[in-house]
Amino acid sequence: MDMIAQDLLAYESKSLRVDGLSGSTWTMRYLDEGPTSHTPSDQSDSIPSDSGPILCVHGNPTWSFYFRRVVQRFSSARRVVAVDHLGCGRSDKPAKSEFDYCLASHRDNLVRLIDQLDLSQTTLLAHDWGGAIGLAALCERRDRFKRIVLLNTGAFPPPYLPLRIAACRWPLVGPLGVRGFNAFARAAQTMTVSRQPLPPDVRRGMIAPYDSWANRVAIDAFVQDIPMHRSHRTFPVLQKLESELPSLSGLPILLIWGMQDWCFRPECLERFQGHWPNATVVPIEDAGHYVLEDAPNETLNAIDEFLQST
């Protein structure tokens, strides 16, 4: 598990033990590339004085593979950490009876990683569910963060539920499609881009960790964790998170949006702008949900310029 898709993502994953249910512990894996506090002194002159780490937080059904271009682009000068949530990527994939798959649990795991790696002056880079998870962890460790970069995500109770996702929540039929036929991850390979299809190797890398019913547990759990009613346990978590967003407006914030996204539509971007009127916004009109795949050059250049200017 620790080297899934090694030919496409050659970086070695590090590991961290996190808590499950009934006293169990599990291995959460992450990439950690670039200069750290252990960088040899003879290299220190080549590293910018403000080279705080970039913490990459993925969503569903992706994994740290989604941020491979970020590692390639920035790890020569900055530390880049890209997590695999439990149940995703190269991390362990316990059953639902062994780990409580929900936003709060993923947030707590990310907080543990932040503390374990002693990250500071950090730039949060998050996509999809990673926006809610990453921002919730940031709110728990505000003193460790310096900037925010979001890509097509949300951090509030969802204002709508697209039909194609709602279908994945139907009793019996939904889990059979998501876990039995890998329908959610396979559909994402075509529905998340607008400019051109994902290349075969990228398609293979995206779904490499999700090759069986058991290994698709988190994909299904993320879908089920979308709260459409106040009675859902994740609804108040997202409600509280949204109430804290205005307090983050003093941080430099960059919002990069694929405007052809049918899931996190432009309304989500506008909702963030309502909380962060001074945020830098880069709309990419013809890009879809996987904006880092659909428009890699524009996205990476915007991040690079933002890091240098702030």
Side-chain angles (χ1 to χ4, degrees):
M1 283 293 184
D2 59 332
M3 289 305 288
I4 287 173
Q6 181 177 3
D7 61 321
L8 302 174
L9 189 70
Y11 307 105
E12 180 182 357
S13 294
K14 310 297 192 300
S15 62
L16 173 72
R17 298 297 289 181
V18 295
D19 296 331
L21 298 174
S22 302
S24 61
T25 62
W26 303 95
T27 297
M28 185 172 76
R29 292 189 169 88
Y30 60 94
L31 304 180
D32 191 352
E33 298 293 327
T36 69
S37 58
H38 302 292
T39 299
S41 59
D42 61 351
Q43 297 181 20
S44 60
D45 291 342
S46 65
I47 299 171
S49 58
D50 177 20
S51 56
I54 302 173
L55 175 61
C56 304
V57 189
H58 72 84
N60 186 38
T62 54
W63 56 294
S64 57
F65 180 79
Y66 182 75
F67 292 107
R68 67 197 182 282
R69 288 190 177 95
V70 176
V71 178
Q72 295 165 1
R73 176 72 171 262
F74 298 106
S75 63
S76 62
R78 292 179 181 271
R79 185 180 187 182
V80 181
V81 176
V83 66
D84 284 336
H85 303 302
L86 209 64
C88 303
R90 294 170 173 170
S91 291
D92 285 350
K93 299 172 178 63
K96 290 183 179 180
S97 61
E98 299 169 317
F99 176 71
D100 188 12
Y101 287 97
C102 65
L103 171 57
S105 296
H106 291 304
R107 173 203 63 202
D108 293 345
N109 287 345
L110 188 60
V111 169
R112 177 173 291 194
L113 179 67
I114 292 166
D115 290 345
Q116 180 69 28
L117 299 184
D118 193 24
L119 301 183
S120 63
Q121 297 291 296
T122 308
T123 297
L124 172 66
L125 173 56
H127 173 251
D128 192 90
W129 266 102
I133 297 168
L135 287 168
L138 183 154
C139 288
E140 296 290 323
R141 296 292 185 270
R142 295 187 187 209
D143 59 326
R144 292 184 175 271
F145 285 85
K146 182 173 183 177
R147 306 177 189 86
I148 298 171
V149 181
L150 299 183
L151 316 173
N152 290 72
T153 185
F156 29 75
Y160 53 82
L161 183 65
L163 178 59
R164 60 189 87 180
I165 292 182
C168 295
R169 292 160 56 100
W170 293 346
L172 300 179
V173 176
L176 179 62
V178 173
R179 300 189 68 177
F181 295 98
N182 208 14
F184 191 88
R186 291 189 181 279
Q189 295 189 323
T190 57
M191 294 180 178
T192 54
V193 289
S194 176
R195 288 184 174 181
Q196 57 188 358
L198 293 176
D201 278 352
V202 176
R203 292 165 64 98
R204 178 165 63 90
M206 286 289 189
I207 65 170
Y210 309 119
D211 58 356
S212 69
W213 175 282
N215 286 344
R216 297 167 194 149
V217 57
I219 296 179
D220 180 54
F222 271 119
V223 173
Q224 300 299 328
D225 199 38
I226 301 171
M228 297 310 300
H229 303 285
R230 290 182 174 273
S231 59
H232 192 290
R233 62 174 176 167
T234 294
F235 190 98
V237 180
L238 283 170
Q239 192 174 44
K240 178 177 183 293
L241 176 57
E242 183 172 22
S243 73
E244 294 181 294
L245 294 182
S247 69
L248 306 178
S249 61
L251 294 173
I253 298 172
L254 173 63
L255 305 172
I256 305 175
W257 227 262
M259 301 300 281
Q260 298 303 311
D261 189 351
W262 54 267
C263 183
F264 293 92
R265 303 191 305 232
E267 297 99 293
C268 294
L269 170 61
E270 294 166 3
R271 192 153 171 174
F272 277 117
Q273 289 179 280
H275 294 298
W276 300 329
N278 296 321
T280 301
V281 180
V282 178
I284 303 179
E285 295 298 335
D286 61 343
H289 178 62
Y290 282 1
V291 64
L292 194 48
E293 298 292 341
D294 222 4
N297 292 333
E298 295 98 312
T299 302
L300 292 169
N301 289 341
I303 295 171
D304 199 351
E305 181 178 347
F306 176 71
L307 293 174
Q308 294 189 48
S309 65
T310 56

